[in-house]
């Protein structure tokens, strides 16, 4: 076994590899860019090496820098994770030329599966079923259009290089073929530097089912059953599961045998995934699946396979790369229960799943799994980390395992509803809606499901009056929203003869909201709101919420409603400019008085310190003048209370 490995990646997959390596007694070296200097994977690794600026082309895609870092730190092998250089055969050659071990397949195996057209020709030779289509080298438009007519419309034009839905066009009619081909070529050229395409029959109700395979250097290849990755948006996976719903024994046998055959055809060693497209229009049948492509690396969704087979695929990778045989034979690998993985992203589902950025001011995952289930969180971020525009906006993968599909799906929904993230727009509400979707719940899923139901899945109901009231209560500083109450917050509800009211302003989207918050003597919090919300609400139970700079987020199920809270101190000058008094911009305690009645002060001079919302705020003179009255130290004041009054003759 290796003594030390370098991980040529970042984020959650780097953290994932480090955890297994640590358990096995293998030391780890992390690499990082400028943007990742304080990242979790850097903190977790035994050593870390800076490899360049934030853009991936200057850091994580610089194979020379990564190899140099491995040699400088004494690492014996490099784990590529997924993405970046994980399927780059030239990088594998760099690694092996330096006398290091690449924890993955050979460069030859990667090259064999790197281009879709060549891979499909290879699979046809190996007896693996492929989608009816044209996978040849000729690229003349007349030939491609002719092949499309032979195949029969609708057809799918696909870039032969790359993936992720780039360079892909569905064509319904011959008249649209030329324009679709031009668009696919342009996109493929921009994304992969290769504008060559293949043309295939479009499967009307496609399921994306893939098989996890694993090989060693002794010629052994096993499968670890299938995963269903049909729940996709923009050709990107959203929720994956294992095993595939509705899978029949006949189809499983045919598909897993084909996957093993495909891996053996290229002398495969390490973790890999054979992806198939399945026609589910008449149910799952053993003669209605076709090879799509092979991913010659560990998949993002590998945890669901680990959960249902009781394996650690990263451990297998390390063992096989170090020269050991596969840890288990095929007969020793069994399925147990069901697992789901939900990819939690910083993205705006309602705006076409646009990636989002921001700082994760609040990040809280469920403490325990729902009853009868187990759960794991795969993440590379912590509270306070920023979602960078330079990299994939994944925050975490929430993985649950249970005894059967329905129980596990319910556990997934519960876990998503208990996840709290504030500081960036996230997709937890969308994921929860998808988990609760009637078709998805029934296992009637195909790659078009999200597109057909997108409006319903991405719609977020407006905040209820209770949610708005909770946000107003938190923004006002009233009540015990902090984990520990100090003596001053215990006075929050005290006032002589009547309840003390606090005016609070909020902004939700384009809506400005004014609330009046009062603490009742019996401990109730009463919030009065303007229309269209309820006029008065009593709040007794503490809501789930997070305060972060300038905002309050209230959590309701899997939805996080974020309200902007205008800075009352920013309004202080506005309130006081040209006036003969300074008023409290928020409720609080006069902690310290620095001036006295009759004293002449100058503009900008600190006059007193107001303690509010667990922070001290300095109130300064807004103009030169003489103080006629000033609040007393220790006074509890409300929003708008006069703190300082200037003598009229002194104001100019």
């Amino acid at each position: 076994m290796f003594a030390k490995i370098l991980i040529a990646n970042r984020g959650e997959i780097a953290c994932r590899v480090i955890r297994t390596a640590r358990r096995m007694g293998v030391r780890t070296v992390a690499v990082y860019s400028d943007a990742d200097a304080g990242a979790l994977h850097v903190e977790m690794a035994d050593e870390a090496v800076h490899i360049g600026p934030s853009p991936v082309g200057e850091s994580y895609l610089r194979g020379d820098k990564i190899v140099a870092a491995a040699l400088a730190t004494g690492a014996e092998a490099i784990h590529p994770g997924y993405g970046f250089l994980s399927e780059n055969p030239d990088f594998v050659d760099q690694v092996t030329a330096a006398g290091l071990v690449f924890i993955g397949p050979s460069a030859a195996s990667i090259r064999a599966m790197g281009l879709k057209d060549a891979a499909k020709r290879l699979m046809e030779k190996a007896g693996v079923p492929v989608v009816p289509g044209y996978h040849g080298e000729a690229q003349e438009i007349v030939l491609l259009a002719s092949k499309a007519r032979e195949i029969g419309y609708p057809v799918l034009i696909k870039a032969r290089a790359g993936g992720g839905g780039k360079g892909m066009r569905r064509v319904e009619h011959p008249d649209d073929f030329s324009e679709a081909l031009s668009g696919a070529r342009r996109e493929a050229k921009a994304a992969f530097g290769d504008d060559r395409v293949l043309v295939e029959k479009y499967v009307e109700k496609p399921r994306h089912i893939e098989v996890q395979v694993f090989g060693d250097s002794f010629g052994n290849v096993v499968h670890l059953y299938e995963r269903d990755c049909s729940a996709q948006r923009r050709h990107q996976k959203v929720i994956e599961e294992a095993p595939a719903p509705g899978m029949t024994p006949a189809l499983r046998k045919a598909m897993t045998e084909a996957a093993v055959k495909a891996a053996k055809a290229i002398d495969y060693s390490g973790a890999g995934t054979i992806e198939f497209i399945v026609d589910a229009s008449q149910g799952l049948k053993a003669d209605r699946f076709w090879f799509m492509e092979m991913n010659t690396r560990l998949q993002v969704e590998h945890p669901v396979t680990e959960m249902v087979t009781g394996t650690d695929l990263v451990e297998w990778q390390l063992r096989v790369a170090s020269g050991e045989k596969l840890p288990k034979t095929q007969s020793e690998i069994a399925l147990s229960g069901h697992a789901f993985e939900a990819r939690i992203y910083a993205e705006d589902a309602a705006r076409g799943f646009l990636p989002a950025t921001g700082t994760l001011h609040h990040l809280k995952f469920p403490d325990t799994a729902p009853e009868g289930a187990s759960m794991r969180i795969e993440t590379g971020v912590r509270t306070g980390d920023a979602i960078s525009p330079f990299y994939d906006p994944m925050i975490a993968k929430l993985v649950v395992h249970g005894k059967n599909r329905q129980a596990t799906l319910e556990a997934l929904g519960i876990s998503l509803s208990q996840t709290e993230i504030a500081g960036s727009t996230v997709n937890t509400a969308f994921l929860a809606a998808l988990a609760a979707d009637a078709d998805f719940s029934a296992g009637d899923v195909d790659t078009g499901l999200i597109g057909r139901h997108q409006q319903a899945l991405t719609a977020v109901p407006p905040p209820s009056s209770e949610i708005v009231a909770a946000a107003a209560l938190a923004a006002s500083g009233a009540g015990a929203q902090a984990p520990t109450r100090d003596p001053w917050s215990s006075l929050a509800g005290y006032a002589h003869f009547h309840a003390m009211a606090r005016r609070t302003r909020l902004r939700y989207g384009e809506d400005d909201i004014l609330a009046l918050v009062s603490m009742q003597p019996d401990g109730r919090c009463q919030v009065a709101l303007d229309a269209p919300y309820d006029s008065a609400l009593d709040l007794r139970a503490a809501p789930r919420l997070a305060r972060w700079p300038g905002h309050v987020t209230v959590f309701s199920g899997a939805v996080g409603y974020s309200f902007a809270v205008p800075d009352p101190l920013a309004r202080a000058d506005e309130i006081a400019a040209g006036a003969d008094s300074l008023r409290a911009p928020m409720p609080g305690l006069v902690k310290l008085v620095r001036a006295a009645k009759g004293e002449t002060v100058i503009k900008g001079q600190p006059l007193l310190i107001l303690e509010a919302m667990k922070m001290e705020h300095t109130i300064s003179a807004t103009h030169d003048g003489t103080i006629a009255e000033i609040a007393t130290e220790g006074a509890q004041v409300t929003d708008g209370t006069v703190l300082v009054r200037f003598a009229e003759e002194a104001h100019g």
Side-chain angles (χ1 to χ4, degrees), residues 381-399:
V381 294
R382 303 146 297 187
T383 296
D385 284 351
I387 301 299
S388 167
F390 295 105
Y391 313 118
D392 184 89
M394 180 185 285
I395 295 172
K397 300 182 306 194
L398 193 158
V399 190

Side-chain angles (χ1 to χ4, degrees), residues 354-414:
L354 285 175
T357 57
T359 299
L360 300 173
H361 292 286
H362 179 81
L363 182 63
K364 183 178 182 295
F365 298 107
D367 295 325
T368 58
E371 186 177 356
S374 59
M375 176 185 66
R376 61 192 260 195
I377 304 294
E378 299 285 344
T379 186
V381 294
R382 303 146 297 187
T383 296
D385 284 351
I387 301 299
S388 167
F390 295 105
Y391 313 118
D392 184 89
M394 180 185 285
I395 295 172
K397 300 182 306 194
L398 193 158
V399 190
V400 292
H401 177 257
K403 61 182 179 181
N404 56 52
R405 188 176 190 271
Q406 192 56 44
T408 309
L409 189 57
E410 290 174 7
L412 176 65
I414 292 170

Side-chain angles (χ1 to χ4, degrees), residues 214-235:
F214 221 110
D216 61 22
S217 57
F218 300 92
N220 301 306
V221 177
V222 297
H223 70 80
L224 290 94
Y225 301 96
E226 80 281 353
R227 298 183 289 257
D228 194 301
C229 306
S230 301
Q232 301 180 8
R233 50 97 174 108
R234 297 181 314 180
H235 305 288

Side-chain angles (χ1 to χ4, degrees), residues 12 19-20 36 155 244 251 306 331 336 435 447 454 556 596 598 624:
E12 61 89 13
R19 283 194 297 273
T20 288
D36 281 341
V155 298
L251 177 57
E306 294 182 322
S331 62
S336 176
T447 58
Q454 186 165 331
S556 177
D624 298 347

Side-chain angles (χ1 to χ4, degrees), residues 69-82:
L71 294 172
T73 56
E76 303 159 75
I78 294 178
H79 193 300
Y82 51 72

Side-chain angles (χ1 to χ4, degrees), residues 299-318:
Q299 292 280 89
V300 177
E301 58 273 19
H302 76 274
V304 294
T305 294
E306 294 182 322
M307 297 290 254
V308 297
T309 59
T311 57
D312 183 332
L313 294 179
V314 173
E315 178 181 340
W316 282 34
Q317 285 186 299
L318 297 181

Side-chain angles (χ1 to χ4, degrees), residues 378-600:
E378 299 285 344
T379 186
V381 294
R382 303 146 297 187
T383 296
D385 284 351
I387 301 299
S388 167
F390 295 105
Y391 313 118
D392 184 89
M394 180 185 285
I395 295 172
K397 300 182 306 194
L398 193 158
V399 190
V400 292
H401 177 257
K403 61 182 179 181
N404 56 52
R405 188 176 190 271
Q406 192 56 44
T408 309
L409 189 57
E410 290 174 7
L412 176 65
I414 292 170
S415 299
L416 285 167
S417 71
Q418 295 173 346
T419 299
E420 300 176 3
I421 304 173
S424 176
T425 302
V426 295
N427 68 339
T428 49
F430 161 72
L431 293 171
L434 178 58
D437 179 83
D439 288 345
F440 188 81
S441 296
D444 184 15
V445 58
D446 61 80
T447 58
L449 183 146
I450 290 176
R452 292 193 301 273
H453 299 185
Q454 186 165 331
Q455 186 172 353
L457 293 173
T458 58
V460 176
S464 65
S465 297
E466 289 76 12
I467 290 171
V468 176
L473 180 63
S476 73
Q481 301 303 332
T484 303
R485 297 181 66 181
D486 60 34
W488 304 120
S489 56
S490 69
L491 296 174
Y494 174 76
H496 287 297
F497 308 119
H498 59 83
M500 184 165 59
R502 305 173 179 210
R503 288 179 295 145
T504 299
R505 292 175 175 81
L506 299 170
R507 188 170 182 82
Y508 182 77
E510 299 298 317
D511 297 332
D512 288 307
I513 304 167
L514 181 62
L516 195 64
V517 179
S518 59
M519 298 294 295
Q520 306 300 313
D522 62 359
R524 290 179 298 117
C525 296
Q526 189 174 79
V527 182
L529 301 169
D530 290 336
Y533 305 104
D534 294 345
S535 58
L537 299 99
D538 286 346
L539 298 180
R540 292 180 181 272
R544 295 163 53 217
L545 57 83
R547 289 176 178 171
W548 46 289
H551 296 79
V552 170
T553 298
V554 181
F555 301 102
S556 177
V559 183
Y561 293 94
S562 290
F563 298 82
V565 183
D567 182 2
L569 288 178
R571 296 188 293 117
D573 286 351
E574 198 178 301
I575 293 171
D580 289 325
S581 62
L582 295 177
R583 297 177 180 270
M586 66 183 79
L589 172 78
V590 179
K591 190 72 175 291
L592 184 65
V593 176
R594 291 183 170 180
K597 181 179 179 179
E599 183 178 342
T600 299

